[in-house]
Amino acid sequence: MAISAVRRIVIVGGGSAGWMAAAALSVVLQRRVEEIILIESSAIGTVGVGEATLPTLRAFNASLGLDEIDFIRKTQATFKLGIEFRGWNPQRTFFHGFSDFGPDVRGVSPHQLCLRARAVHDDRSYADHSITSVAAALGRFAPPVPNRESILGSYSYAFQFDATAYAAYLRAFAERRGVKRIDGRILDVRLRPEDGFIEAVLLEGERTVSGDLFVDCSGFAALLIERSLRTGFEDWSKWLPCDRAFAVPSARTGEPTPYTRSTAHEAGWQWRIPLQHRTGNGHVFCSSYVSEDAAAGTLLAHLDSEALAHPKLLKFTAGRRRESWKRNCVALGLAAGFLEPLESTSIHLIESGIGRLIELFPDRGFEPKLAEEYNRLMARNYESIRDFIILHYWASRRDGELWRYCRNMPLPEGLRQQIELFKARGVVALYDRDTFAEPSWVSIYFGLGVFPAGYDPMANLIEEGALTRELERRARLVKGAAHSLPMHGSFIEKYCRAAA
Ligand SMILES: Cc1cc2nc3c(=O)[nH]c(=O)nc-3n(C[C@H](O)[C@H](O)[C@H](O)COP(=O)(O)OP(=O)(O)OC[C@H]3O[C@@H](n4cnc5c(N)ncnc54)[C@H](O)[C@@H]3O)c2cc1C
C-alpha cells in the first residue's frame, strides 16, 4: 500500500446512496483501503422513495457480481421498458422507451427517415418502429436476446423496485465484505484548522469517527458538503418549479405493467410504478399553483386501487451542489443535488458519481485536479439531465398556470440552442457521456408534437417507394417480435417471483 493511500473511508448515511457507495467501494477497493465505515441513524431514517430506475443499474449490479434473479426477488422488482406519458400532450399518450427506432439507412438516422416519410405521407407513426413502445403497450416482456442484429436483441430494460429493500440488500452485501456499520446520529463535524479538511464526525454519546475520505450520503440534510463545507447550491427552480411531492403505495392490481406511467395534472404530474407486491404512486407538484390539500386529493383520486397508507409529503428544490467533491468530501445522492423523478434519474446519478469517484480515486494528498475533473463531469451529467427534464415541461401543450409559465420561461442557453437545432433540421446535439441519447430526445420531441421544419437532405437520396416499403417492413417486424414475447406478469411468475 502506498504511504499516502487513503486508509479509512467514512460514509455518512445509509439510504440508497450510502449503501450503493459502500457496496461498490468494498468490491473495488478490497485491498486498497484498510477500513470502510458507514454511519446512519435509524432514528432519522431514509427518504423512503425512489422506485424507478434506468438500464444502467444493471451494469452497476453486475459490477458487484449480484445475481439478477436473486436481486429481483429480494427487492420485489418488476421490469421496466420505459415511461408512458399521459396528458403531457393532450392529443395523445406517448412512450419513451429503452430502444431506438431501428438502424440507419445509408447513414440517415431512423427519425430522419420518419420525418421524410411524414413529409410525404403524414400518417406514419414513428412509435411503431420502437420495440419497447409496442411491447409495453401489449404488456409483454422478456430480456433481450444476446444478438444486436435481431430486433429482440436491440433494446434494454431497467427495474421498478422497492428502494428500501435494495438498500437493505446492499447493506447485507457490503457487511459481508467487511464494511462496518455504526447506528448513531451525527451532531457535529470537526475540520482540520490548517486546511479545512474534514477530520472527524462527532456522534451522540460522545463517539468520534475520524477518516481520510468522507462520502456524504446524508440526503437532503447534506451534513458534510453543505452544513460543514458550505459548498453552495445552484438553484434551478426557475426552470423546474415543482417543489413538493406526495407519495403513497396502493394495492397491486392485475398484471404489472412493464413500464412506469407519468400522468400530467393541473400543477404537476403523477407517477405510477408497479412492483410485485404493491404499486408506488406519487404526485410531484408546484406549491405556487396548487395547495397541499388539493395535491394530496388529486393523487388519491387518481389511484387505480386502494391506498395502503396516508400520503407522505416531501419537499425539495431542484438544483445541485456547486462542488460535489470538496477537499476530502464527496457528496452522492440527495446530498449532491435533486432533479425530480420524471425520468427516474437519481439512482443513476448515484451510480455515475460512484463510478467517477472510483476512476479518479485520490490518495491522501487529494490532488485538487481530481476534484476539479469530478465536478466538471458531474456538472455536465446533472445539467444534461436537467435540460432533458425541462424539455418535457417547455414542450408540453397542456393548459394551466404551471404549464403556461414553463412554455414561456427563458431556457438555459445550451437547451435553447439544442431545441433550435432540432426545430431547424431534426438534429440532436449531444456530448459523448450524456445519459440520454438521440432516441430519447426524439421520443420526447415527437411525443410532445415538436417536429422540425426540415430534415436531413441525405434522406432524399432514398427512393420514396423504397423508403415506404422499408418503414412498413420495420413496423411489421417490430409488431411480430413484440407479439412473440411473453406477458410481463407470466415472465415474473415463471422466473423471478418474490417470496410472499
Ligand atoms: C419524491 C421523490 C421521488 C423519487 N423517485 C425516484 C425514482 O423513481 N427513481 C430514482 O432513481 N430516484 C428517485 N428519487 C430519489 C431517490 O429517492 C434518492 O436519490 C435515493 O433514495 C437516495 O437517497 P439518499 O441515500 O441520498 O438519501 P436518504 O435516503 O434520505 O438517506 C440519508 C441517510 O442519511 C442519514 N442521516 C441523515 N442525517 C444524519 C445524521 N445527523 N446522523 C446520522 N445519519 C444521518 C439518514 O439516516 C439516512 O440513512 C426520488 C426522490 C423523491 C424526493
Side-chain angles (χ1 to χ4, degrees):
M1 190 182 295
I3 289 292
S4 66
V6 164
R7 289 162 304 194
R8 182 189 270 182
I9 302 175
V10 178
I11 299 169
V12 170
S16 321
W19 285 113
M20 285 171 76
L25 295 178
S26 73
V27 169
V28 175
L29 301 176
Q30 246 174 13
R31 278 177 292 275
R32 282 169 53 194
V33 293
E34 288 168 17
E35 204 171 22
I36 302 176
I37 297 176
L38 184 144
I39 306 169
E40 65 177 317
S41 163
S42 47
I44 295 176
T46 64
V47 68
V49 281
E51 296 165 331
T53 63
L54 293 183
T56 50
L57 186 69
R58 287 168 47 218
F60 179 81
N61 284 347
S63 74
L64 303 183
L66 299 183
D67 174 67
E68 191 163 280
I69 300 291
D70 186 52
F71 151 80
I72 291 170
R73 289 197 172 119
K74 297 273 172 46
T75 61
Q76 298 278 356
T78 59
F79 296 92
K80 175 182 170 189
L81 289 171
I83 303 177
E84 181 191 76
F85 289 89
R86 285 193 180 180
W88 287 78
N89 177 348
Q91 257 101 59
R92 62 191 189 87
T93 292
F94 67 95
F95 197 75
H96 168 204
F98 303 135
S99 60
D100 57 25
F101 298 96
D104 292 0
V105 173
R106 291 199 229 151
V108 180
S109 58
H111 76 280
Q112 297 283 3
L113 299 175
C114 288
L115 281 172
R116 166 150 189 242
R118 188 173 171 272
V120 176
H121 304 283
D122 205 42
D123 60 352
R124 209 163 302 280
S125 168
Y126 69 96
D128 290 349
H129 302 149
S130 157
I131 177 75
T132 48
S133 287
V134 178
L138 296 168
R140 293 183 180 273
F141 175 82
V145 298
N147 172 11
R148 289 284 304 165
E149 300 300 307
S150 154
I151 287 189
L152 288 176
S154 68
Y155 58 96
S156 193
Y157 65 93
F159 304 104
Q160 309 172 120
F161 67 3
D162 180 335
T164 308
Y166 185 52
Y169 188 63
L170 292 185
R171 173 181 161 186
F173 174 92
E175 286 186 320
R176 279 199 302 277
R177 274 157 190 77
V179 173
K180 294 196 183 115
R181 171 181 179 270
I182 298 175
D183 190 347
R185 186 189 288 257
I186 294 170
L187 301 178
D188 207 355
V189 177
R190 195 165 70 216
L191 303 183
R192 253 178 1 215
E194 63 272 26
D195 56 10
F197 275 50
I198 298 175
E199 198 168 52
V201 288
L202 315 177
L203 279 72
E204 59 195 350
E206 302 195 348
R207 278 180 295 173
T208 299
V209 179
S210 58
D212 300 318
L213 169 66
F214 288 81
V215 186
D216 187 352
C217 300
S218 62
F220 286 129
L223 278 184
L224 311 184
I225 198 76
E226 191 60 62
R227 283 212 213 155
S228 186
L229 298 182
R230 309 239 165 251
T231 176
F233 188 75
E234 215 172 284
D235 184 332
W236 292 337
S237 51
K238 63 177 178 235
W239 295 308
L240 293 170
C242 287
D243 56 357
R244 287 179 180 39
F246 275 109
V248 72
S250 64
R252 186 196 149 148
T253 45
E255 283 267 336
T257 55
Y259 57 87
T260 293
R261 178 177 298 146
S262 164
T263 306
H265 289 318
E266 184 195 336
W269 60 276
Q270 179 161 340
W271 77 74
R272 179 186 181 281
I273 306 176
L275 312 185
Q276 290 198 28
H277 60 321
R278 60 170 168 77
T279 303
N281 309 273
H283 181 193
V284 173
F285 61 98
C286 177
S287 61
S288 308
Y289 301 115
V290 65
S291 71
E292 287 178 4
D293 282 353
T298 300
L299 171 64
L300 294 173
H302 288 85
L303 299 183
D304 54 15
S305 58
E306 168 209 354
L308 299 176
H310 288 297
K312 175 181 168 183
L313 180 64
L314 296 129
K315 298 184 181 178
F316 47 77
T317 306
R320 70 171 184 92
R321 299 280 157 228
R322 289 190 196 285
E323 295 166 277
S324 45
W325 181 338
K326 186 165 183 181
R327 299 181 193 140
N328 60 339
C329 173
V330 177
L332 296 170
L334 300 173
F338 183 77
L339 285 166
E340 60 180 78
L342 184 57
E343 286 285 351
S344 323
T345 43
S346 292
I347 289 172
H348 162 78
L349 281 163
I350 298 171
E351 297 155 24
S352 150
I354 293 171
R356 282 160 185 177
L357 171 59
I358 290 168
E359 276 168 34
L360 297 166
F361 200 75
D363 61 22
R364 273 183 285 144
F366 286 94
E367 166 56 57
K369 288 272 174 244
L370 297 173
E372 233 171 74
E373 177 63 359
Y374 180 91
N375 289 330
R376 188 185 70 77
L377 291 169
M378 291 310 290
R380 173 68 208 154
N381 206 170
Y382 269 89
E383 282 165 18
S384 71
I385 294 174
R386 174 201 68 190
D387 288 356
F388 187 56
I389 296 175
I390 295 173
L391 175 67
H392 297 57
Y393 283 96
W394 172 83
S396 171
R397 299 174 164 203
R398 278 188 77 83
D399 200 15
E401 275 187 281
L402 168 71
W403 305 97
R404 274 196 296 278
Y405 168 83
C406 293
R407 207 154 31 245
N408 295 311
M409 66 190 171
L411 295 172
E413 187 50 24
L415 176 61
R416 194 187 61 72
Q417 286 172 9
Q418 239 174 318
I419 292 174
E420 277 179 9
L421 197 56
F422 186 81
K423 279 170 117 180
R425 246 211 21 209
V427 175
V428 178
L430 293 170
Y431 295 87
D432 275 1
R433 292 174 85 175
D434 281 356
T435 300
F436 294 104
E438 185 177 271
S440 294
W441 285 81
V442 173
S443 298
I444 304 304
Y445 279 127
F446 283 13
L448 290 170
V450 181
F451 290 102
Y455 55 83
D456 183 348
M458 297 297 281
N460 287 331
L461 299 179
I462 304 160
E463 192 262 316
E464 189 191 325
L467 177 60
T468 307
R469 284 192 298 281
E470 171 58 12
L471 293 179
E472 282 172 356
R473 186 187 69 86
R474 286 184 182 191
R476 267 198 315 276
L477 272 178
V478 165
K479 194 171 169 190
H483 275 277
S484 75
L485 297 173
M487 292 304 288
H488 179 220
S490 321
F491 183 86
I492 292 175
E493 200 59 51
K494 189 162 174 194
Y495 297 106
C496 41
R497 180 104 200 102

